[in-house]
Amino acid sequence: MRFSPSSAGLVSSIYLLVGFLGGILGGYHFSRTRHKIAMFVIINLMLSFLLISLGFVHNYIIIVFITIALGMLTIYGFSVMYTFIRYISRRDLVSLSLSFNNSIQLAIAAIAPIIFTGIAYSYSYRVSWIVTGIIPLVTLPLILLIKNDLKNSISAFN
């Protein structure tokens, strides 16, 4: 499926604009839920499913709805991740920890479009979306590795 440049720009704008709402909802919900780690895992699973589904959807309306959900969930997930970092970092190293996290995110954000485009050019957009959707699944075990430390930090923080 091909988007005109103006349609692609509109969909990208929707993604960014609804992300703002997702960040607000993420922070609000995260501070009130007792199942913080489970929520983070569910968000990542939903992101993976939606990203992979983009490779198989050919209806503009459905793509727009998926984009809205992705925008909200992505920033929602970032809010949760930043809060996790605040919980697990030493008080005097919170700024450094958040900066390090931002550096990693920026590096991935700079490389991801190049990899996506290379895969799309060599194989197909469908394969690119599948690979993009697998990335949250591959990185999910990292949060599970620190699950006990995270649980202890969250309960000590509250």
Side-chain angles (χ1 to χ4, degrees):
M1 165 174 268
R2 293 188 175 251
F3 277 93
S4 69
S6 59
S7 295
L10 177 64
V11 171
S12 298
S13 297
I14 290 170
Y15 174 83
L16 293 171
L17 291 173
V18 298
F20 176 75
L21 179 61
I24 293 169
L25 292 174
Y28 178 81
H29 184 251
F30 185 78
S31 66
R32 285 161 179 72
T33 185
R34 295 172 40 133
H35 308 287
K36 294 176 181 354
I37 295 169
M39 186 179 87
F40 188 73
V41 169
I42 290 168
I43 287 169
N44 275 284
L45 292 173
M46 290 171 58
L47 281 169
S48 291
F49 170 76
L50 290 170
L51 287 166
I52 290 169
S53 70
L54 280 174
F56 299 93
V57 174
H58 300 291
N59 182 308
Y60 286 113
I61 308 257
I62 295 172
I63 289 172
V64 168
F65 281 114
I66 290 173
T67 301
I68 290 169
L70 281 170
M72 290 185 69
L73 286 172
T74 301
I75 306 305
Y76 190 111
F78 283 156
S79 295
V80 170
M81 188 171 39
Y82 287 124
T83 307
F84 277 164
I85 290 168
R86 192 182 88 205
Y87 285 140
I88 64 174
S89 298
R90 278 187 6 207
R91 189 185 246 331
D92 60 331
L93 296 176
V94 171
S95 295
L96 178 65
S97 300
L98 288 171
S99 298
F100 181 70
N101 181 65
N102 282 341
S103 298
I104 291 171
Q105 285 179 345
L106 288 171
I108 292 170
I111 295 169
I114 297 167
I115 294 170
F116 184 92
T117 304
I119 293 170
Y121 182 75
S122 299
Y123 299 99
S124 70
Y125 277 106
R126 178 173 288 166
V127 174
S128 288
W129 284 116
I130 291 169
V131 170
T132 302
I134 289 172
I135 291 170
L137 296 176
V138 170
T139 58
L140 195 55
L142 296 175
I143 194 70
L144 299 177
L145 287 174
I146 62 167
K147 182 177 172 183
N148 289 333
D149 292 335
L150 194 54
K151 273 186 182 178
N152 294 336
S153 298
I154 289 171
S155 49
F157 197 79
N158 288 333

